[in-house]
Amino acid sequence: QVQLVESGGGLVQAGGSLRLSCAASGRTISSFPMGWFRQAPGKEREFVGSISWSGASTDYTDSVKGRFTISRDNAKNTVFLQMNSLKPEDTAVYYCAARRTNFGPTSSIPGTYDYWGQGTQVTVSS
């Protein structure tokens, strides 16, 4: 079993930056593709980006391309989401998730992820 804990959320002004962390425990996630999702009030959970098990490949939803960067440190069992040039529409609860598919592909579909964190709130003021 894998436990995921997000941190680093908070309140930031538009144009600012935040770095979210997702720390895993219970077992290593070094062979798992990882994803970041977000959910705004009244909206469905949406894909933000994903990273391959090795970190060599990333994928992002169009609205965050060029502003957000996902990375991972497998030695620390941690995944990161660097968010720059934040906009009010980025306001949401952000979740990290892990696919229990050793060395498998990434995915943008929430239902294909097996483990989820509790989420961290990101609020961007205008």
Side-chain angles (χ1 to χ4, degrees), residues 2-56:
V2 174
Q3 293 79 43
L4 302 174
V5 178
E6 302 94 337
S7 61
L11 174 64
V12 64
Q13 288 188 331
S17 298
L18 284 174
R19 188 191 196 207
L20 305 185
S21 298
C22 172
S25 61
R27 63 149 287 168
T28 178
I29 59 168
S30 60
S31 63
F32 291 173
M34 299 291 293
W36 283 96
F37 295 81
R38 65 187 180 186
Q39 188 166 17
K43 295 187 177 181
E44 293 187 352
R45 192 168 297 189
E46 68 167 346
F47 172 74
V48 174
S50 61
I51 187 166
S52 62
W53 65 271
S54 66

